[in-house]
Amino acid sequence: MDARTKTFAPVASSTAPFPRPTREEAEAAVRTLIAWAGDDPTREGLLETPGRVTRAYGEFFAGYEQDARSILSKTFKEVGGYDDIVLVKDIPFSSHCEHHMVPFVGRAHIAYLPHYGVVGLSKLARLVDVFALRLQTQENLTAQIIDAINENLGPRGAAVMLEAEHMCMSMRGVRAHGASTVTHRFTGVFAEDRVEQDRFFAMIKR
């Protein structure tokens, strides 16, 4: 199948795939936006911009083509009896606000208490990208990450915290430069035991 005419893989909330515009149609839409912004899409500096934008969108939204289950499918059970918190913190990510389609950028902190085994540490960073590289809200991104961990690893508990700056606040509207949005969610032992929550926050701050 031609890459320009294939359909998007549906996201979790979708019920069916939908037709994907061709690359030519996408580039035409970019030209329309350039003209709407007040510039001439045929001038020299902008002639190749539609192609660049569509290629960039392929990177920005690569998460639609990725699957969390395949990333978390391989676990390791030979861990010498280790059953305490596994934490990967300060995972950088960038995403795009689904309301204004401008970036929000930040760091993710992920922890879980192993039950059936552990997953490679790099897989948690890749998991963040699966959902960050889509049109998102930070709240939904937080929930999707922890739900994928629970569904695929079956831990005794999980914790996810995201800290991000939203360009829809700093570049437009209130222009609140440097404002940070924090979201977190706990499940299992982390949700039931305040001591485990406190340990999570303390380990992030170290």
Side-chain angles (χ1 to χ4, degrees):
M1 180 181 290
D2 191 312
R4 295 173 300 178
T5 59
K6 68 181 179 180
T7 57
F8 278 117
V11 296
S13 59
S14 298
T15 56
F18 51 88
R20 185 174 191 170
T22 65
R23 183 176 295 276
E24 288 80 6
E25 290 172 330
E27 291 181 5
V30 175
R31 293 187 191 94
T32 298
L33 285 173
I34 291 172
W36 185 85
D39 213 325
D40 178 7
T42 65
R43 71 175 175 84
E44 182 181 21
L46 292 172
L47 275 176
E48 297 182 21
T49 296
R52 295 189 187 101
V53 171
T54 54
R55 289 192 295 274
Y57 265 42
E59 297 179 30
F60 295 157
F61 304 113
Y64 287 112
E65 307 294 339
Q66 300 173 9
D67 177 55
R69 182 175 301 174
S70 63
I71 287 174
L72 299 177
S73 62
K74 184 176 182 179
T75 58
F76 302 93
K77 295 179 173 56
E78 295 182 7
V79 291
Y82 185 84
D83 61 358
D84 206 346
I85 293 176
V86 176
L87 168 69
V88 180
K89 64 179 183 177
D90 295 323
I91 301 170
F93 73 88
S94 59
S95 189
H96 281 73
C97 164
E98 66 181 32
H99 300 142
H100 300 96
M101 293 183 70
V102 294
F104 62 97
V105 180
R107 294 183 177 276
H109 315 289
I110 300 176
Y112 68 98
L113 287 160
H115 190 192
Y116 302 111
V118 300
V119 70
L121 300 179
S122 66
K123 305 297 185 178
L124 296 179
R126 290 184 61 193
L127 175 65
V128 173
D129 272 350
V130 167
F131 297 112
L133 298 180
R134 303 180 182 190
L135 293 170
Q136 277 290 12
T137 65
Q138 185 172 328
E139 297 87 346
N140 196 44
L141 178 57
T142 306
Q144 288 176 337
I145 292 170
I146 200 167
D147 286 346
I149 290 171
N150 285 324
E151 291 169 9
N152 293 282
L153 299 184
R156 290 178 289 122
V160 172
M161 177 175 170
L162 304 185
E163 304 172 272
E165 180 176 359
H166 291 248
M167 298 303 107
C168 58
M169 284 184 60
S170 60
M171 292 178 61
R172 58 164 298 282
V174 297
R175 299 184 185 275
H177 299 282
S180 179
T181 299
V182 179
T183 53
H184 59 73
R185 185 176 170 192
F186 303 115
T187 60
V189 174
F190 285 104
E192 299 162 1
D193 190 340
R194 182 59 184 268
V195 173
E196 294 299 332
Q197 293 181 24
D198 290 343
R199 288 181 65 204
F200 172 70
F201 289 124
M203 293 172 73
I204 288 174
K205 293 177 181 178
R206 285 178 186 168

